Amino acid sequence: MTSPILHLLKRLSRALGLDTADSFPPGHRYARTRWNAAYFDIASNVQPDEMERRICDAIANTPLVFGHIVNPTPRMQRTLLGLLEQRLRLGHRREAAQLAALLLRAYGSRDTPEAVPGLRAVIDAGAHLDGNERIAAVLDFLGGSAAPFDVIEMQ
């Protein structure tokens, strides 16, 4: 008897925004995406697009919070990839490697959608390598294209 009452109270609390969200609402396209609510203060009644935008803003401001997201959406990944590309362009390879390690961890789950075509194949191909070699392979893949991450640069 208490279970239906608790379930109802939980749904009511979520609808009123009294809870801190740690995932998208059930039935959402990226319902498997989870985040640590302690790092992302998002009320449960916020619309999913706004949730994603706030998380992307948090990643842009503090990239290491990406490590507190399970199965990040492509938009979240692109935010991290943009920061990674910026670090590579500026010659900060060590910082870029740190971000690539976060990306590798995220792709440890098969439920993580691929944000850049071919990225999962590169990560899977390097499964037998040690951590530093895997990071180098990902950085080479991401830094090797003429227009990384669907950005066209003028010469």
Side-chain angles (χ1 to χ4, degrees):
M1 179 84 53
T2 60
S3 180
I5 293 171
L6 288 175
H7 180 70
L8 180 64
L9 286 173
K10 186 175 181 177
R11 286 184 58 199
L12 181 64
S13 178
R14 183 175 184 97
L16 294 174
L18 301 176
D19 285 344
T20 300
D22 62 355
S23 66
F24 292 112
H28 186 268
R29 180 178 178 185
Y30 298 113
R32 292 179 183 248
T33 300
R34 302 269 186 270
W35 54 86
N36 186 330
Y39 292 93
F40 307 95
D41 187 20
I42 302 172
S44 58
N45 66 344
V46 173
Q47 294 297 316
D49 288 342
E50 179 63 16
M51 286 179 179
E52 189 175 31
R53 188 195 63 74
R54 289 181 187 184
I55 292 171
C56 289
D57 287 348
I59 294 167
N61 290 324
T62 312
L64 296 181
V65 298
F66 187 85
H68 298 282
I69 302 169
V70 177
N71 303 324
T73 67
R75 184 175 171 191
M76 294 172 193
Q77 293 177 53
R78 282 191 297 274
T79 301
L80 184 76
L81 289 168
L83 296 168
L84 194 150
E85 188 268 338
Q86 178 186 42
R87 303 303 196 274
L88 286 174
R89 198 171 1 102
L90 296 174
H92 301 153
R93 193 158 174 95
R94 177 178 238 159
E95 293 174 22
Q98 207 174 21
L99 300 180
L102 294 174
L103 198 60
L104 277 168
R105 189 176 332 150
Y107 274 78
S109 168
R110 298 309 271 170
D111 293 326
T112 300
E114 188 175 39
V116 175
L119 180 58
R120 184 173 300 282
V122 168
I123 291 172
D124 289 347
H128 66 284
L129 303 173
D130 77 353
N132 290 333
E133 291 173 326
R134 292 182 78 197
I135 289 170
V138 169
L139 289 176
D140 289 344
F141 172 76
L142 295 173
S145 63
F149 322 126
D150 297 326
V151 176
I152 300 171
E153 293 189 359
M154 301 289 287
Q155 296 294 349

